[in-house]
Amino acid sequence: MAASVTLRSWMPRCARWSFVRRLATLRPLKHEGCTIQRTTSPKTKPENVLSVAFGSVFTDHMLEVEWDAEIGWQPPKIVPFHDFSLSPATVALHYGLEIFEGTKAYRRDDGRIQLFRPLENMKRMNKSAERMTLPTFNGEEFLKCIKDLIRVDADWVPSEPNTSLYIRPTLIGTRPSLGVGPTDRALLYVILCPVGPYFKTGGFVPVSLLADPQYVRSWHGGIGDAKAGGNYGPTIHTQLQAEKRGCQQVLWLYGDELTEVGTMNVFVNLVNENGGWCLINSWFVFRLVPSPPLFPTTRVKPHGSMHT
């Protein structure tokens, strides 16, 4: 509390009001005004999505929203898929001011398209943005824009079993500077790709995991809970070590603690001495004790920052 009082007294009253007014006038991200520019050169869709490498084929369109520290969010726009032109000094390239999300859209048996809890991804993306000093946004409004994008590329949503449309929202700092600090410009965008199972073993075929305590991905007090590219690049070396040993993925450890598996959630089913069982993953512990007519459930969140 004392630190807060000191900070307020340090900033002159006129400067504080100027800062508050500027924040209040920044344009929020809104779905209203989202424009659509359809491609005039549609791509050829893959005949068999299951034969395509995961994340290698992209749909015809993408979603873009620019941000400026003095203005706020620009109107969203859906445009043909294209390459970016960035300064060689872009902060995202030098200091990793970048985050992303990953979710999916599925083709139901009745032909309709369904998303899987996308608002939870929006919440996590905003949390990651705060940690990486990138601008936050209204998740519900952004989700409306994403749905528009999926409607435009609806023909790309596959219908074969074990397939889906992968959705990749990404936020990058675009300030052209070699100075280490927060960015005053950013680009929020979404690309889509039709995909099959991530692993070559198939949809529900078990995979083998490498568990080696010499490799650590996240730790208490770190930024493992921010879905940033910098949390993924360093894992590729360990992934290659796993493949050399005949494993598909890495079971990441922190000492004697289990944190996660690289590209999936991991659950452990334990049976205690009383016959009850515990379903555990790296974020929550579910203790289920058979006692009719209900299974009482206790959910405990462990301490520290662990990536999911």
Side-chain angles (χ1 to χ4, degrees):
M1 181 63 69
S4 175
V5 172
T6 302
L7 178 61
R8 289 176 58 86
S9 61
W10 170 82
M11 184 181 292
R13 182 184 297 271
C14 60
R16 290 203 305 269
W17 279 112
S18 175
F19 179 69
V20 171
R21 283 199 301 270
R22 188 170 67 85
L23 287 179
T25 56
L26 288 180
R27 184 182 299 149
L29 193 158
K30 289 187 176 181
H31 169 255
E32 182 182 2
C34 180
T35 59
I36 299 176
Q37 176 191 348
R38 293 183 180 270
T39 183
T40 58
S41 303
K43 304 174 185 177
T44 301
K45 300 178 180 64
E47 294 183 2
N48 182 7
V49 174
L50 295 174
S51 66
V52 176
F54 189 97
S56 61
V57 175
F58 302 96
T59 65
D60 287 320
H61 300 87
M62 61 190 296
L63 169 66
E64 295 181 2
V65 196
E66 296 182 8
W67 177 84
D68 183 279
E70 297 296 327
I71 300 173
W73 291 102
Q74 300 287 350
K77 55 185 179 182
I78 295 171
V79 296
F81 189 95
H82 66 96
D83 294 335
F84 291 142
S85 177
L86 296 172
S87 165
T90 300
V91 291
L93 302 178
H94 291 270
Y95 306 121
L97 290 186
E98 174 271 348
I99 61 170
F100 65 95
E101 268 299 327
T103 185
K104 293 180 178 180
Y106 300 89
R107 178 80 67 179
R108 303 191 335 182
D109 291 340
D110 60 5
R112 299 176 64 188
I113 298 172
Q114 187 167 354
L115 301 175
F116 178 64
R117 58 158 181 70
L119 278 177
E120 294 303 313
N121 292 91
M122 298 297 99
K123 293 177 184 177
R124 183 170 65 172
M125 192 169 189
N126 269 312
K127 181 180 178 183
S128 297
E130 278 192 57
R131 184 63 179 85
M132 300 300 292
T133 64
L134 289 166
T136 57
F137 54 88
N138 185 309
E140 293 184 0
E141 292 292 308
F142 186 47
L143 180 57
K144 293 177 184 177
C145 300
I146 294 176
K147 290 181 178 179
D148 281 353
L149 174 63
I150 296 173
R151 291 187 185 99
V152 170
D153 280 341
D155 290 344
W156 284 84
V157 183
S159 57
E160 298 92 339
N162 296 325
T163 63
S164 60
L165 185 73
Y166 186 76
I167 305 166
R168 172 54 65 90
T170 307
L171 177 58
I172 62 174
T174 55
R175 178 170 64 98
S177 173
L178 297 183
V180 180
T183 185
D184 58 359
R185 306 177 207 172
L187 176 63
L188 177 63
Y189 67 93
V190 181
I191 53 179
L192 311 172
C193 49
V195 298
Y198 187 87
F199 296 103
K200 296 179 181 179
T201 53
F204 294 100
V205 178
V207 297
S208 57
L209 305 175
L210 170 67
D212 190 331
Q214 72 172 306
Y215 302 115
V216 178
R217 180 174 184 179
S218 58
W219 49 88
H220 302 304
I223 63 166
D225 56 344
K227 201 169 179 66
N231 284 333
Y232 286 76
T235 70
I236 297 174
H237 176 268
T238 311
Q239 173 64 29
L240 293 177
Q241 302 306 309
E243 293 175 3
K244 288 180 180 179
R245 303 187 193 184
C247 301
Q248 282 77 41
Q249 264 296 318
V250 179
L251 177 64
W252 293 96
L253 306 174
Y254 178 58
D256 58 356
E257 297 179 15
L258 183 156
T259 60
E260 65 159 337
V261 174
T263 59
M264 65 179 76
N265 292 320
V266 58
F267 295 85
V268 179
N269 186 22
L270 301 177
V271 179
N272 62 31
E273 62 275 8
N274 299 320
W277 57 278
C278 303
L279 183 62
I280 303 172
N281 77 356
S282 57
W283 270 103
F284 299 106
V285 178
F286 298 86
R287 300 190 184 279
L288 307 181
V289 181
S291 57
L294 299 175
F295 293 89
T297 302
T298 302
R299 187 168 74 176
V300 180
K301 185 173 182 180
H303 63 285
S305 297
M306 295 297 177
H307 179 80
T308 59

